[in-house]
Amino acid sequence: MNKLNFLQPDKNNLNTYLYTGVILVALSIFIVFLNSFFNKDIISFLPGSISFFLPLILGFIGLHLIRIDYSGLKFLDSINKNINTNNFNAFLSLLIVFVVIKSLPPILSWFILDANIAGDSKDVCTGSGACWTYIKIWFNRFMYGMYPNAEQWRINLSFIALAFLGTIGFFATEKFKKYLTLYYVVVYPVIAFFFIFFFISGGPIFFDFSYGIIAAVISIIIGFFIPPKFKMYYFIIVPITLYILLKYVFFYEELIELGKLEALEWVETGAWGGLSLTFIVSFFCLIFCFPIGLFLSLGRRSDFPIIKYFSIGMIEFWRGVPLITVLFMSSVMFPMFLPEDMFIDKLVRVIIAISLFEAAYVAEVIRGGLQALPRGQYDAAKSLGMGYWKMHILVILPQALKLVIPGIANTFLALVKDTPLIFVVGLLEIVGMLNLAKTNPEWLGFAMEGYVFASVLFFIICYAMSKYSYNLEQKYKTER
Amino acid sequence: MSDKIIQITEMNKWFGDFQVLKNINLEVEKNKKIVVCGPSGSGKSTLIRCINRLEEHQQGSIIVDGNELTEDTKDIEKIRAEVGMVFQQFNLFPHLSILDNCTLAPIWVKKMPKKDAEELALQHLEKVQIADQASKYPGQLSGGQQQRCAIARALCMEPKIMLFDEPTSALDPEMIKEVLDAMVNLAKAGMTMIVVTHEMGFAKEVADEVIFMDEGMIVERAETKEFFANPKSDRTKLFLSQIL
């Protein structure tokens, strides 16, 4: 038996040190646990300050005793390597464990144990915890805003359809893989636009939507019988002709006038709201701000002075003003400059404003990527006979964009979290609806639940986006 | 029209106030192999970058294959497509596989069908002996392999002239040989080549003529044997005595 030296634990008396250390650490955690969960202070007989610090001291000594290098026990080694490398780290680790144990009971009791979810009025919320009944009752409003209850299936249907269409990429066969980019960049946004502005918005304009769909379906079916040589012209001319025929010759006027065909009820964009509006605004702003930003970043590096200074002006202007003023301008000032009879929907104006605003940030992020590329890449592309666009599309942008995926994800996350600001123009997405609901006289005093609810939703959205961006990064990693 | 494929007359070039190329006169005939040597900073690289118009010259004229290189950049892409270039730092496209590196320009610039382009690329990769690496990415290859791929990539455009800008300077001594072998084979196949290099062995083996440059001027131009056997100018003698 070797001599025990408690100041310097070593491998020779491994078990002695290990048992003593583990018992001390377990004891310290046990004390805090009892105190926190059962409100029992088993060391209260000690003087105040000592009883407060005792768990820390015990745990600290315990961790010191089990800090044995190369003990041969895998678990012990990994603990030592990760949370117990030296005295300071041991202290921090203990502190974190204690804080977690201390804060668990109040959190648990607020979220679950003392919370109420049953019932459908404020009266059931008697406990000291959260009142989830409030969320339950207002859930519809938080999701759909002021959108009429009877029509909410339209939003659901649209989102389900769009989600389904969005996953097509996973199921595409090899043959269609090369069209995927085209699909996601051009076709999908257009479909989404049709769904949202014709289907969700409804009204007589819905007929345009259905005529568009009918024209597209008919022309695709006939398209199979057209020789490939004429396909290009065919697909440019026929769908549009069909659409115009349907709209102005066959149905439109009479059917509406006769009242034989009932249109979807018109829901003005002011009534849209809740989480669905968050999605709509974020989605379109993301789609629009990226290409605008891309062109601004290229423009800023252009050799043509007009394009260059226009781009610089745009970027610096939109970066230089607060989003809240931009939104305010778009809704209050902008219409004053329009002709009397011209009307642009408030939501459209807001989406344009946010897109331009975020495009300036995206532009600068992408410019960073463009500048990181070595000049040799430009030289090589030029020496192979590529012009400006071929060089950028085939060689420069694929590399530059890959470099800036984290930066773009950053901007996009900021964009999603900026959407609540549209309350300044009277559009109430989820946070706006919360603010509205919390001032309802029947439901005063539940702001906390609402904000927690919104935080959780935003966290889920943003975390998914950040995970996705990380996946993209891994997917396009070709170096080494 | 003579068979002079490159004609440079009275060409001057400045970087700001600094004159890099002074009064360059150079004619290159078809199928000739020319080695350009000289101390660093003497304007060799700038000269061949001018032939590709990666740098613009300010005075004089450069005529490549009957087309003059001027401000009017409309045809410049066509001319560049006929002039292949290999760089010191390889400059492969890291986001594309070796095969895609080679087929990119033929498909998008020459509008070649993908199948033909791939066949052609594999042929050229076979010639430089890296056909078995076709599906790898540049980052996974050694320097010598990358440079050979760069040669194959330039050849896939089926150029009339090949420019080499110090192709072996960034390589390990062991890898220099494999790249030079590829270049020697290319020379034997009858390609018009202008090579900026310090590899005098290569110059002796394949060059028809050697050009010695210093301080932006062509100091001496001579047949290869003549150049090494009895150089005329003192500056050339000094350079050769140091490098050989």
Side-chain angles (χ1 to χ4, degrees), chain A residues 373-388 390 393-396 398-399 402 476-480, chain B residues 49 52 54-55 77 80-81 83-85 87 91-96 101 104-105 108-109 111 137 139-140 153-154 157:
Chain A
L373 287 191
R375 186 173 163 220
Q377 291 293 316
Y378 291 87
D379 284 348
K382 280 184 197 162
S383 78
L384 288 169
M386 294 183 198
Y388 181 86
K390 276 179 192 159
I393 293 171
L394 298 173
V395 177
I396 304 300
Q399 296 182 58
K402 192 172 76 185
Y476 292 116
K477 203 178 197 172
T478 56
E479 283 86 15
R480 261 157 272 272
Chain B
R49 286 168 68 87
N52 214 347
L54 289 177
E55 305 280 357
E77 277 123 39
R80 278 179 184 153
V83 181
M85 183 145 181
F87 301 86
N91 294 347
L92 292 177
F93 306 136
H95 63 299
L96 297 174
N101 259 283
L104 187 73
W108 293 96
V109 178
K111 311 282 178 211
Y137 284 92
Q140 299 165 318
R153 178 178 71 176
M157 289 297 284

Side-chain angles (χ1 to χ4, degrees), chain A residues 235-424:
Chain A
F235 274 114
I236 293 173
I237 298 167
V238 175
I240 298 172
T241 328
L242 263 179
Y243 174 75
I244 293 171
L245 278 178
L246 281 171
K247 180 165 177 178
Y248 293 104
V249 183
F250 292 135
F251 294 116
Y252 194 59
E253 307 292 338
E254 317 164 26
L255 287 181
I256 293 280
E257 276 169 31
L258 292 174
K260 277 185 185 168
L261 207 63
E262 248 177 56
L264 284 175
E265 192 193 331
W266 165 256
V267 184
E268 59 145 355
T269 49
W272 302 13
L275 191 66
S276 55
L277 186 65
T278 309
F279 275 125
I280 291 171
V281 172
S282 315
F283 179 77
F284 282 111
C285 290
L286 290 185
I287 285 177
F288 292 137
C289 79
F290 183 72
I292 299 173
L294 189 62
F295 281 113
L296 284 180
S297 71
L298 291 178
R300 190 163 186 169
R301 292 163 59 86
S302 166
D303 291 332
F304 301 104
I306 297 179
I307 298 178
K308 184 175 175 180
Y309 290 110
F310 173 77
S311 305
I312 293 179
M314 282 286 279
I315 292 172
E316 295 304 336
F317 173 76
W318 292 108
R319 280 207 307 177
V321 288
L323 181 57
I324 206 157
T325 51
V326 173
L327 289 171
F328 195 70
M329 293 269 195
S330 78
S331 110
V332 181
M333 300 276 287
F334 182 66
M336 290 190 215
F337 299 110
L338 285 179
E340 282 273 307
D341 50 348
M342 197 163 159
F343 171 75
I344 301 180
D345 191 274
K346 188 156 73 176
L347 183 60
V348 176
R349 275 179 277 146
V350 160
I351 286 177
I352 292 173
I354 299 182
S355 299
L356 288 174
F357 183 85
E358 297 291 344
Y361 287 89
V362 172
E364 287 298 277
V365 170
I366 295 178
R367 194 168 67 95
L370 289 173
Q371 262 162 358
L373 287 191
R375 186 173 163 220
Q377 291 293 316
Y378 291 87
D379 284 348
K382 280 184 197 162
S383 78
L384 288 169
M386 294 183 198
Y388 181 86
W389 289 111
K390 276 179 192 159
M391 174 170 81
H392 275 93
I393 293 171
L394 298 173
V395 177
I396 304 300
L397 285 177
Q399 296 182 58
L401 292 181
K402 192 172 76 185
L403 280 176
V404 298
I405 288 174
I408 290 191
N410 220 356
T411 315
F412 281 5
L413 287 178
L415 189 158
V416 172
K417 291 190 293 178
D418 277 348
T419 51
L421 276 182
I422 61 178
F423 83 88
V424 296

